[in-house]
Amino acid sequence: MQNPIKRRKSITVNVGDIPVGGGNPIVVQSMTNTDTADIDETVDQIDHLHQAGSELVRITVNNDAAAKAVPHIKEKLLNRGVTVPIIGDFHYNGHKLLPGYPEMAKALAKFRINPGNTGTKTRDKNFCTIVEQAIKYDKPVRIGVNWGSLDQQLLAQYMDENNSRNKPKSSKEVMLDTMVESARRSTALAEDVGLPSNKIIVSCKMSGVQDLINVYRRIAKDLKYPLHLGLTEAGMGMKGTVASSVALGVLLQDGIGDTIRVSLTPMPGADRAEEVRISQQILQSLGIRSFIPQVTSCPGCGRTKSTYFQELADEIQNYVVESMPVWREVYPGVEEMDVAVMGCVVNGPGESRHANIGISLPGTFEEPKAPVYVDGEHFTTLKGDGIGAEFRKILDDYVVKNYGRE
Protein backbone atom coordinates (compact mmCIF):
# COMPACT_ATOMS: atom_id res chain seq x y z
CA MET A 1 0.00 0.00 0.00
CA GLN A 2 1.42 3.38 -1.04
CA ASN A 3 1.12 5.74 1.93
CA PRO A 4 1.52 9.48 1.24
CA ILE A 5 1.58 10.50 4.92
CA LYS A 6 4.95 11.77 6.12
CA ARG A 7 5.59 10.27 9.55
CA ARG A 8 7.10 12.24 12.41
CA LYS A 9 10.61 11.01 13.17
CA SER A 10 11.10 9.31 16.52
CA ILE A 11 13.40 6.91 18.32
CA THR A 12 12.73 3.17 17.90
CA VAL A 13 11.73 1.37 21.11
CA ASN A 14 11.51 -2.42 21.12
CA VAL A 15 8.66 -3.84 23.20
CA GLY A 16 9.49 -7.52 23.25
CA ASP A 17 9.96 -8.29 19.57
CA ILE A 18 7.72 -5.43 18.40
CA PRO A 19 9.50 -2.24 17.26
CA VAL A 20 7.59 0.96 18.07
CA GLY A 21 8.49 4.28 16.43
CA GLY A 22 11.40 5.01 14.14
CA GLY A 23 9.21 4.73 11.05
CA ASN A 24 8.12 1.15 11.84
CA PRO A 25 4.47 0.18 11.21
CA ILE A 26 2.05 1.80 13.64
CA VAL A 27 1.29 -0.78 16.33
CA VAL A 28 -2.24 -1.71 17.45
CA GLN A 29 -2.67 -2.47 21.12
CA SER A 30 -5.41 -3.22 23.61
CA MET A 31 -5.91 -3.94 27.31
CA THR A 32 -7.63 -6.69 29.26
CA ASN A 33 -10.52 -5.92 31.60
CA THR A 34 -10.23 -9.16 33.58
CA ASP A 35 -9.07 -9.55 37.16
CA THR A 36 -5.40 -10.27 36.48
CA ALA A 37 -5.33 -12.61 39.48
CA ASP A 38 -7.76 -14.83 37.53
CA ILE A 39 -5.06 -16.47 35.46
CA ASP A 40 -7.19 -18.54 33.09
CA GLU A 41 -9.65 -15.75 32.29
CA THR A 42 -6.81 -13.31 31.67
CA VAL A 43 -4.95 -15.77 29.45
CA ASP A 44 -8.12 -16.38 27.43
CA GLN A 45 -8.71 -12.68 26.88
CA ILE A 46 -5.10 -11.93 25.96
CA ASP A 47 -5.21 -14.77 23.45
CA HIS A 48 -8.52 -13.48 22.06
CA LEU A 49 -7.24 -9.90 21.72
CA HIS A 50 -4.07 -11.11 20.05
CA GLN A 51 -6.00 -13.30 17.61
CA ALA A 52 -8.09 -10.23 16.71
CA GLY A 53 -4.91 -8.32 15.88
CA SER A 54 -3.68 -6.70 19.09
CA GLU A 55 0.10 -6.62 18.73
CA LEU A 56 0.66 -5.54 22.34
CA VAL A 57 -1.64 -6.32 25.27
CA ARG A 58 -1.67 -4.44 28.58
CA ILE A 59 -2.81 -5.90 31.89
CA THR A 60 -3.45 -4.31 35.28
CA VAL A 61 -0.89 -5.08 37.99
CA ASN A 62 -2.42 -3.43 41.02
CA ASN A 63 -1.86 -5.79 43.94
CA ASP A 64 0.10 -8.79 45.20
CA ALA A 65 -2.30 -11.33 43.72
CA ALA A 66 -2.01 -9.77 40.26
CA ALA A 67 1.78 -9.58 40.52
CA LYS A 68 2.00 -13.26 41.50
CA ALA A 69 -0.22 -14.24 38.56
CA VAL A 70 1.84 -12.55 35.82
CA PRO A 71 4.56 -15.23 35.38
CA HIS A 72 1.89 -17.95 35.24
CA ILE A 73 -0.07 -15.96 32.66
CA LYS A 74 3.05 -15.63 30.52
CA GLU A 75 3.82 -19.35 30.85
CA LYS A 76 0.30 -20.43 29.86
CA LEU A 77 0.35 -18.11 26.87
CA LEU A 78 3.66 -19.55 25.70
CA ASN A 79 2.25 -23.06 26.08
CA ARG A 80 -0.46 -22.01 23.63
CA GLY A 81 2.11 -20.57 21.26
CA VAL A 82 1.04 -16.97 22.03
CA THR A 83 4.09 -14.72 22.17
CA VAL A 84 2.39 -11.31 22.21
CA PRO A 85 4.30 -8.86 24.47
CA ILE A 86 2.50 -8.18 27.76
CA ILE A 87 2.63 -4.70 29.33
CA GLY A 88 2.20 -4.17 33.07
CA ASP A 89 0.01 -1.21 34.05
CA PHE A 90 1.21 0.22 37.38
CA HIS A 91 -0.40 2.98 39.38
CA TYR A 92 0.08 3.79 43.06
CA ASN A 93 2.20 0.84 44.21
CA GLY A 94 4.41 -0.18 41.29
CA HIS A 95 7.47 0.92 43.28
CA LYS A 96 6.65 -1.86 45.76
CA LEU A 97 5.37 -4.57 43.43
CA LEU A 98 8.25 -4.51 40.93
CA PRO A 99 11.04 -5.01 43.51
CA GLY A 100 8.87 -7.47 45.45
CA TYR A 101 8.07 -9.76 42.52
CA PRO A 102 11.13 -10.12 40.28
CA GLU A 103 9.59 -12.96 38.22
CA MET A 104 6.70 -10.66 37.38
CA ALA A 105 9.10 -7.91 36.31
CA LYS A 106 10.98 -10.35 34.08
CA ALA A 107 7.80 -11.68 32.46
CA LEU A 108 6.54 -8.27 31.37
CA ALA A 109 7.71 -6.68 28.12
CA LYS A 110 7.09 -3.08 29.24
CA PHE A 111 6.05 -1.10 32.31
CA ARG A 112 3.45 1.64 32.11
CA ILE A 113 3.89 4.50 34.61
CA ASN A 114 1.43 7.31 35.26
CA PRO A 115 3.48 10.19 36.74
CA GLY A 116 0.31 11.67 38.22
CA ASN A 117 0.01 8.56 40.41
CA THR A 118 3.68 7.96 41.14
CA GLY A 119 4.85 11.57 40.88
CA THR A 120 7.91 13.42 39.63
CA LYS A 121 7.65 16.18 42.22
CA THR A 122 5.75 15.08 45.32
CA ARG A 123 6.56 11.35 45.04
CA ASP A 124 9.59 11.32 42.78
CA LYS A 125 11.26 8.53 44.79
CA ASN A 126 8.49 6.13 43.77
CA PHE A 127 8.81 7.11 40.12
CA CYS A 128 12.58 6.63 40.24
CA THR A 129 12.20 3.20 41.83
CA ILE A 130 10.07 1.99 38.92
CA VAL A 131 12.54 3.42 36.42
CA GLU A 132 15.39 1.69 38.26
CA GLN A 133 13.53 -1.62 37.97
CA ALA A 134 13.09 -1.03 34.24
CA ILE A 135 16.85 -0.47 33.95
CA LYS A 136 17.58 -3.57 36.03
CA TYR A 137 15.44 -5.84 33.85
CA ASP A 138 16.18 -4.01 30.57
CA LYS A 139 12.53 -3.09 29.98
CA PRO A 140 11.05 -0.08 28.22
CA VAL A 141 8.47 2.12 29.93
CA ARG A 142 5.50 4.14 28.76
CA ILE A 143 5.25 7.38 30.67
CA GLY A 144 1.52 7.94 30.45
CA VAL A 145 0.40 11.42 31.44
CA ASN A 146 -3.38 11.51 31.94
CA TRP A 147 -5.53 14.56 32.57
CA GLY A 148 -7.74 12.55 34.92
CA SER A 149 -4.81 11.94 37.27
CA LEU A 150 -2.53 14.87 36.63
CA ASP A 151 0.19 15.82 39.13
CA GLN A 152 -1.85 18.14 41.36
CA GLN A 153 1.15 19.96 42.79
CA LEU A 154 2.41 20.80 39.31
CA LEU A 155 -1.08 21.83 38.21
CA ALA A 156 -1.48 24.08 41.28
CA GLN A 157 1.88 25.71 40.54
CA TYR A 158 0.87 26.44 36.96
CA MET A 159 -2.53 27.76 38.06
CA ASP A 160 -0.87 30.12 40.55
CA GLU A 161 1.57 31.38 37.94
CA ASN A 162 -1.29 31.89 35.48
CA ASN A 163 -3.33 33.88 37.99
CA SER A 164 -0.46 36.32 38.38
CA ARG A 165 -0.40 37.10 34.65
CA ASN A 166 -1.82 40.35 33.28
CA LYS A 167 -3.77 38.29 30.75
CA PRO A 168 -4.41 34.85 32.31
CA LYS A 169 -4.95 31.83 30.09
CA SER A 170 -8.08 29.70 30.34
CA SER A 171 -8.02 26.83 32.82
CA LYS A 172 -8.06 24.40 29.88
CA GLU A 173 -4.95 26.01 28.39
CA VAL A 174 -3.20 25.79 31.76
CA MET A 175 -4.08 22.10 31.98
CA LEU A 176 -2.62 21.50 28.52
CA ASP A 177 0.55 23.34 29.57
CA THR A 178 0.74 21.14 32.67
CA MET A 179 0.28 17.96 30.63
CA VAL A 180 3.14 18.89 28.31
CA GLU A 181 5.40 19.93 31.19
CA SER A 182 4.64 16.71 33.09
CA ALA A 183 5.70 14.70 30.04
CA ARG A 184 8.88 16.77 29.68
CA ARG A 185 9.84 16.49 33.35
CA SER A 186 9.03 12.80 33.60
CA THR A 187 11.05 11.79 30.55
CA ALA A 188 13.96 13.99 31.63
CA LEU A 189 13.91 12.46 35.11
CA ALA A 190 13.77 8.92 33.69
CA GLU A 191 16.83 9.59 31.54
CA ASP A 192 18.59 11.27 34.47
CA VAL A 193 18.04 8.12 36.55
CA GLY A 194 19.72 6.18 33.76
CA LEU A 195 16.99 4.88 31.47
CA PRO A 196 18.16 5.11 27.83
CA SER A 197 16.06 7.23 25.49
CA ASN A 198 15.35 4.14 23.36
CA LYS A 199 13.45 2.65 26.32
CA ILE A 200 10.83 5.44 26.61
CA ILE A 201 7.39 5.78 25.01
CA VAL A 202 5.14 8.72 25.88
CA SER A 203 1.40 9.36 25.96
CA CYS A 204 -0.64 12.42 26.99
CA LYS A 205 -4.20 11.17 27.07
CA MET A 206 -7.29 13.34 27.34
CA SER A 207 -11.02 12.72 26.79
CA GLY A 208 -11.81 15.65 24.49
CA VAL A 209 -11.05 15.33 20.77
CA GLN A 210 -9.72 18.87 20.26
CA ASP A 211 -7.77 18.74 23.53
CA LEU A 212 -6.10 15.49 22.50
CA ILE A 213 -5.17 16.87 19.09
CA ASN A 214 -3.73 20.04 20.65
CA VAL A 215 -1.62 18.31 23.30
CA TYR A 216 -0.17 15.74 20.90
CA ARG A 217 0.71 18.35 18.32
CA ARG A 218 2.67 20.12 21.05
CA ILE A 219 4.55 17.15 22.43
CA ALA A 220 5.26 15.86 18.91
CA LYS A 221 7.37 18.99 18.38
CA ASP A 222 9.06 18.88 21.80
CA LEU A 223 9.82 15.20 22.42
CA LYS A 224 11.83 12.64 20.44
CA TYR A 225 10.18 9.51 21.84
CA PRO A 226 7.54 7.31 20.16
CA LEU A 227 4.00 8.45 20.95
CA HIS A 228 1.09 6.26 22.03
CA LEU A 229 -2.25 7.71 20.86
CA GLY A 230 -5.73 7.30 22.29
CA LEU A 231 -8.54 9.10 24.05
CA THR A 232 -8.26 8.21 27.71
CA GLU A 233 -11.97 7.42 28.02
CA ALA A 234 -13.51 7.31 24.57
CA GLY A 235 -16.99 6.25 25.71
CA MET A 236 -19.44 3.63 24.50
CA GLY A 237 -20.66 2.52 21.10
CA MET A 238 -21.07 5.12 18.39
CA LYS A 239 -19.75 8.00 20.52
CA GLY A 240 -16.55 6.19 21.44
CA THR A 241 -15.98 4.94 17.92
CA VAL A 242 -16.56 8.29 16.24
CA ALA A 243 -14.58 10.32 18.78
CA SER A 244 -11.61 7.96 18.59
CA SER A 245 -11.72 7.83 14.79
CA VAL A 246 -11.81 11.61 14.46
CA ALA A 247 -9.07 12.33 17.02
CA LEU A 248 -6.70 9.59 15.89
CA GLY A 249 -7.45 10.23 12.23
CA VAL A 250 -6.40 13.89 12.46
CA LEU A 251 -3.18 13.08 14.33
CA LEU A 252 -2.25 10.14 12.14
CA GLN A 253 -2.83 12.26 9.04
CA ASP A 254 -0.39 14.75 10.57
CA GLY A 255 2.16 11.93 10.81
CA ILE A 256 1.87 11.81 14.61
CA GLY A 257 1.58 8.49 16.43
CA ASP A 258 3.53 5.24 16.63
CA THR A 259 1.08 2.98 18.49
CA ILE A 260 -2.65 3.37 19.08
CA ARG A 261 -5.48 2.11 21.24
CA VAL A 262 -9.22 2.77 21.01
CA SER A 263 -10.38 2.76 24.64
CA LEU A 264 -14.04 1.82 24.24
CA THR A 265 -16.37 1.21 27.16
CA PRO A 266 -17.84 -2.20 26.27
CA MET A 267 -21.41 -3.23 26.90
CA PRO A 268 -21.66 -5.99 29.52
CA GLY A 269 -20.63 -9.23 27.87
CA ALA A 270 -19.58 -7.49 24.63
CA ASP A 271 -16.54 -8.54 22.65
CA ARG A 272 -13.47 -6.76 24.03
CA ALA A 273 -11.73 -7.19 20.67
CA GLU A 274 -14.07 -4.69 19.01
CA GLU A 275 -11.66 -1.91 19.98
CA VAL A 276 -8.87 -3.78 18.19
CA ARG A 277 -10.88 -4.03 14.98
CA ILE A 278 -11.76 -0.32 15.14
CA SER A 279 -8.07 0.57 15.58
CA GLN A 280 -7.23 -1.52 12.54
CA GLN A 281 -9.99 0.06 10.49
CA ILE A 282 -8.78 3.57 11.36
CA LEU A 283 -5.31 2.71 10.07
CA GLN A 284 -6.65 0.94 7.00
CA SER A 285 -9.10 3.71 6.13
CA LEU A 286 -6.20 6.18 6.12
CA GLY A 287 -4.13 3.90 3.90
CA ILE A 288 -1.49 3.44 6.61
CA ARG A 289 -1.71 -0.33 7.12
CA SER A 290 -3.79 -3.18 5.71
CA PHE A 291 -5.34 -5.88 7.88
CA ILE A 292 -8.32 -7.33 6.00
CA PRO A 293 -9.88 -7.05 2.52
CA GLN A 294 -12.21 -4.06 2.36
CA VAL A 295 -15.82 -4.61 1.27
CA THR A 296 -17.41 -1.57 -0.38
CA SER A 297 -21.19 -1.51 -0.46
CA CYS A 298 -23.80 1.15 -1.17
CA PRO A 299 -26.31 2.50 1.40
CA GLY A 300 -29.34 1.77 -0.77
CA CYS A 301 -31.97 4.16 -2.13
CA GLY A 302 -35.40 4.12 -3.75
CA ARG A 303 -34.07 1.90 -6.52
CA THR A 304 -33.12 -0.84 -4.04
CA LYS A 305 -36.19 -1.65 -1.98
CA SER A 306 -35.17 -5.28 -1.97
CA THR A 307 -32.92 -6.25 0.94
CA TYR A 308 -30.98 -8.75 -1.17
CA PHE A 309 -27.95 -6.53 -1.78
CA GLN A 310 -27.78 -5.77 1.95
CA GLU A 311 -27.92 -9.46 2.79
CA LEU A 312 -25.23 -10.29 0.21
CA ALA A 313 -22.96 -7.47 1.41
CA ASP A 314 -23.29 -8.77 4.97
CA GLU A 315 -22.70 -12.33 3.80
CA ILE A 316 -19.53 -11.40 1.91
CA GLN A 317 -18.24 -9.23 4.76
CA ASN A 318 -18.72 -12.10 7.23
CA TYR A 319 -17.17 -14.57 4.78
CA VAL A 320 -14.05 -12.41 4.46
CA VAL A 321 -13.72 -12.08 8.26
CA GLU A 322 -14.16 -15.82 8.77
CA SER A 323 -11.68 -16.65 5.98
CA MET A 324 -8.91 -14.32 7.14
CA PRO A 325 -7.25 -16.63 9.71
CA VAL A 326 -6.47 -19.05 6.86
CA TRP A 327 -6.03 -16.46 4.13
CA ARG A 328 -3.54 -14.49 6.25
CA GLU A 329 -1.29 -17.53 6.56
CA VAL A 330 -1.66 -18.97 3.06
CA TYR A 331 -2.24 -15.91 0.86
CA PRO A 332 0.09 -13.04 1.87
CA GLY A 333 -1.07 -9.67 0.56
CA VAL A 334 -4.75 -10.64 0.48
CA GLU A 335 -5.46 -8.00 3.14
CA GLU A 336 -5.03 -5.33 0.44
CA MET A 337 -7.79 -6.73 -1.76
CA ASP A 338 -10.90 -4.61 -2.43
CA VAL A 339 -14.33 -6.17 -2.92
CA ALA A 340 -17.49 -4.31 -4.01
CA VAL A 341 -21.10 -5.44 -3.48
CA MET A 342 -23.35 -2.85 -5.10
CA GLY A 343 -27.12 -2.57 -5.20
CA CYS A 344 -28.05 -1.18 -8.63
CA VAL A 345 -26.84 0.12 -11.99
CA VAL A 346 -26.37 3.77 -10.95
CA ASN A 347 -22.96 3.39 -9.29
CA GLY A 348 -22.70 -0.39 -9.23
CA PRO A 349 -20.71 -1.11 -12.40
CA GLY A 350 -18.35 1.83 -11.80
CA GLU A 351 -17.59 0.86 -8.19
CA SER A 352 -17.21 -2.77 -9.20
CA ARG A 353 -14.66 -1.85 -11.85
CA HIS A 354 -12.63 0.11 -9.28
CA ALA A 355 -12.48 -2.92 -6.96
CA ASN A 356 -10.34 -6.02 -7.48
CA ILE A 357 -13.54 -7.99 -7.67
CA GLY A 358 -17.07 -6.58 -7.62
CA ILE A 359 -20.68 -7.41 -8.29
CA SER A 360 -23.47 -5.03 -9.35
CA LEU A 361 -26.84 -6.39 -8.30
CA PRO A 362 -30.10 -5.43 -10.02
CA GLY A 363 -32.26 -2.79 -8.38
CA THR A 364 -35.98 -3.22 -7.81
CA PHE A 365 -37.82 -3.98 -11.08
CA GLU A 366 -34.52 -4.00 -13.01
CA GLU A 367 -33.45 -6.93 -15.18
CA PRO A 368 -32.54 -9.82 -12.82
CA LYS A 369 -28.89 -10.12 -13.70
CA ALA A 370 -25.70 -9.24 -11.82
CA PRO A 371 -22.53 -8.47 -13.79
CA VAL A 372 -19.25 -9.35 -12.03
CA TYR A 373 -16.07 -7.40 -12.69
CA VAL A 374 -12.51 -8.60 -12.01
CA ASP A 375 -9.68 -6.05 -12.03
CA GLY A 376 -11.77 -3.59 -14.01
CA GLU A 377 -12.98 -5.99 -16.68
CA HIS A 378 -16.36 -7.67 -17.08
CA PHE A 379 -15.84 -11.28 -16.00
CA THR A 380 -19.29 -12.86 -16.06
CA THR A 381 -22.96 -12.17 -15.36
CA LEU A 382 -24.76 -14.10 -12.63
CA LYS A 383 -28.48 -14.90 -12.57
CA GLY A 384 -30.88 -16.97 -10.52
CA ASP A 385 -30.99 -18.04 -6.89
CA GLY A 386 -27.34 -19.02 -6.49
CA ILE A 387 -25.71 -15.62 -6.97
CA GLY A 388 -24.22 -15.52 -3.46
CA ALA A 389 -22.59 -18.95 -3.68
CA GLU A 390 -21.31 -18.31 -7.21
CA PHE A 391 -19.82 -14.95 -6.22
CA ARG A 392 -18.05 -16.54 -3.22
CA LYS A 393 -16.58 -19.14 -5.58
CA ILE A 394 -15.31 -16.40 -7.90
CA LEU A 395 -13.86 -14.62 -4.85
CA ASP A 396 -12.10 -17.78 -3.65
CA ASP A 397 -10.64 -18.43 -7.10
CA TYR A 398 -9.38 -14.84 -7.31
CA VAL A 399 -7.63 -15.13 -3.92
CA VAL A 400 -5.92 -18.40 -4.89
CA LYS A 401 -4.85 -17.12 -8.30
CA ASN A 402 -3.56 -13.69 -7.21
CA TYR A 403 -2.22 -14.27 -3.69
CA GLY A 404 -1.21 -17.93 -3.63
CA ARG A 405 2.44 -18.79 -3.14
CA GLU A 406 4.11 -20.10 -6.24
Side-chain angles (χ1 to χ4, degrees):
M1 177 179 291
Q2 193 69 27
N3 178 18
I5 299 172
K6 185 177 180 180
R7 295 271 302 280
R8 161 188 170 268
K9 292 182 179 179
S10 69
I11 297 167
T12 299
V13 177
N14 290 312
V15 182
D17 60 353
I18 303 294
V20 179
N24 287 290
I26 295 171
V27 175
V28 172
Q29 62 177 280
S30 185
M31 183 176 185
T32 60
N33 60 357
T34 59
D35 177 0
T36 305
D38 188 330
I39 295 170
D40 289 335
E41 187 178 13
T42 303
V43 166
D44 286 344
Q45 191 172 98
I46 292 171
D47 191 359
H48 177 61
L49 291 169
H50 181 53
Q51 289 297 323
S54 187
E55 294 157 307
L56 303 173
V57 179
R58 182 158 46 111
I59 62 175
T60 299
V61 187
N62 58 331
N63 54 37
D64 294 290
K68 290 177 183 177
V70 171
H72 302 291
I73 291 168
K74 180 72 176 290
E75 182 182 11
K76 287 203 169 192
L77 286 168
L78 291 175
N79 288 339
R80 293 188 185 189
V82 179
T83 58
V84 61
I86 306 301
I87 301 162
D89 198 9
F90 298 97
H91 296 109
Y92 303 100
N93 57 356
H95 62 290
K96 295 180 180 179
L97 294 175
L98 282 165
Y101 295 93
E103 294 306 312
M104 175 265 293
K106 293 176 186 176
L108 294 171
K110 185 177 75 173
F111 307 155
R112 189 265 183 167
I113 317 172
N114 183 340
N117 296 148
T118 56
T120 53
K121 284 182 66 65
T122 58
R123 293 184 293 258
D124 59 288
K125 183 179 179 182
N126 297 347
F127 179 91
C128 292
T129 298
I130 297 177
V131 172
E132 288 164 357
Q133 293 296 303
I135 296 168
K136 179 178 179 179
Y137 294 105
D138 193 29
K139 306 291 184 178
V141 301
R142 170 160 70 95
I143 295 175
V145 181
N146 192 305
W147 81 326
S149 50
L150 198 53
D151 185 324
Q152 292 303 300
Q153 185 172 337
L154 183 60
L155 180 60
Q157 175 191 329
Y158 269 49
M159 286 293 187
D160 289 343
E161 291 174 1
N162 184 60
N163 291 334
S164 65
R165 294 172 181 266
N166 291 329
K167 293 182 178 180
K169 299 180 180 181
S170 69
S171 58
K172 181 64 69 65
E173 289 177 301
V174 176
M175 179 169 283
L176 289 172
D177 289 343
T178 309
M179 294 274 290
V180 173
E181 181 61 18
S182 179
R184 285 197 195 110
R185 292 189 184 190
S186 301
T187 53
L189 178 57
E191 288 206 49
D192 188 58
V193 172
L195 189 67
S197 59
N198 67 349
K199 295 290 185 181
I200 299 173
I201 296 173
V202 174
S203 65
C204 281
K205 289 194 170 185
M206 305 186 79
S207 294
V209 170
Q210 293 292 353
D211 298 327
L212 191 84
I213 292 169
N214 289 337
V215 76
Y216 271 96
R217 281 176 171 169
R218 289 181 59 177
I219 65 171
K221 293 178 181 178
D222 293 346
L223 301 178
K224 57 191 175 181
Y225 315 99
L227 298 179
H228 169 68
L229 303 187
L231 291 169
T232 182
E233 287 94 17
M236 299 184 76
M238 181 177 68
K239 186 269 180 186
T241 300
V242 172
S244 294
S245 300
V246 171
L248 271 60
V250 169
L251 291 169
L252 291 167
Q253 186 67 26
D254 284 349
I256 298 170
D258 301 286
T259 175
I260 67 171
R261 181 193 173 199
V262 172
S263 300
L264 288 184
T265 304
M267 292 292 291
D271 186 357
R272 184 68 166 178
E274 183 65 13
E275 65 177 44
V276 177
R277 290 186 282 270
I278 293 170
S279 294
Q280 291 177 328
Q281 190 59 55
I282 291 171
L283 293 174
Q284 189 148 354
S285 295
L286 287 168
I288 293 172
R289 289 187 67 183
S290 296
F291 298 94
I292 189 171
Q294 299 292 280
V295 178
T296 300
S297 58
C298 65
C301 65
R303 298 177 68 95
T304 55
K305 292 181 180 179
S306 167
T307 61
Y308 183 70
F309 86 95
Q310 298 165 324
E311 293 163 358
L312 183 60
D314 183 59
E315 177 186 331
I316 297 302
Q317 179 73 64
N318 290 334
Y319 183 68
V320 167
V321 171
E322 292 165 3
S323 300
M324 273 309 291
V326 173
W327 284 359
R328 188 179 292 112
E329 296 297 323
V330 180
Y331 305 112
V334 70
E335 64 275 3
E336 296 191 9
M337 181 175 65
D338 289 319
V339 181
V341 179
M342 302 301 295
C344 75
V345 297
V346 174
N347 294 318
E351 284 284 357
S352 296
R353 288 189 183 97
H354 288 308
N356 295 114
I357 177 171
I359 185 169
S360 179
L361 295 165
T364 307
F365 304 124
E366 293 175 359
E367 187 178 354
K369 62 179 183 178
V372 175
Y373 298 85
V374 173
D375 291 331
E377 301 293 333
H378 180 256
F379 178 74
T380 189
T381 297
L382 303 181
K383 299 179 181 180
D385 297 330
I387 288 178
E390 291 180 61
F391 186 67
R392 288 198 308 275
K393 176 65 167 56
I394 295 170
L395 178 60
D396 284 335
D397 291 344
Y398 184 89
V399 169
V400 172
K401 178 182 178 181
N402 289 276
Y403 301 102
R405 293 187 177 95
E406 300 201 359

